[in-house]
Structures are given as structure tokens and as C-alpha cells.
Amino acid sequence: MKHSIALTALLATLFLVACDRPAVVAVPVPVPGPAGPQGATGETGSTGNTGYTGSQGNTGETGGTGATGKTGGDMTVIVVEPATSTPTN
């Protein structure tokens, strides 16, 4: 029994020593520095070409007016107001 307790303690110690802790990795973080001087103003661009003037459209036919439309018949329209209350069960 003495040997089994000593052997168990020895094995537990070996297992714990064998565990590897992960190394802490320090990653440098870039920090922006102060702003530099303002650069020179760029040159003004050239003006683009002027487009062509389109041709004038036709004036169309002159003269006649459209035909008179048909008059309404004997039709009656009934508008029903929707119900304001909901039915209950």
C-alpha cells in the first residue's frame, strides 16, 4: 500500500509538470503619430467639351380637334360605408 500511494503521487506530479502553459505573445500595436503638414493644392482640371445642340422636333399637324366623347348612360353608383364595429362571438 505504501508503494501504491508513493507511485500515485509520483505519477500525478509528472502529469502536472508535463502540462505546458501557453506563452504570452506580445503583439506590437501601431499607434498613429501626429498629422503632417498639408500638401499643395492641385491644379484645376480642364473644362469638358460642349455637347451638340439637338435638332428641333416636328411641329405636327395643325387643324382638326379630337372627336367628342360619348356621354354617360343611366348608371347609378352606390357607395357603402364600411362597418365600424367588429362582430363578437
Side-chain angles (χ1 to χ4, degrees):
M1 183 77 178
K2 284 183 172 182
H3 298 294
S4 64
I5 293 175
L7 183 61
T8 305
L10 178 66
L11 287 176
T13 306
L14 288 175
F15 283 132
L16 290 175
V17 171
C19 293
D20 186 24
R21 293 186 196 171
V24 177
V25 179
V27 179
V29 178
V31 178
Q38 184 174 359
T41 305
E43 295 182 14
T44 304
S46 61
T47 305
N49 293 335
T50 305
Y52 296 111
T53 303
S55 61
Q56 186 172 358
N58 295 334
T59 56
E61 295 182 22
T62 57
T65 58
T68 305
K70 293 171 38 175
T71 58
D74 294 332
M75 182 182 292
T76 304
V77 177
I78 300 174
V79 178
V80 179
E81 185 175 316
T84 57
S85 64
T86 58
T88 57
N89 290 333

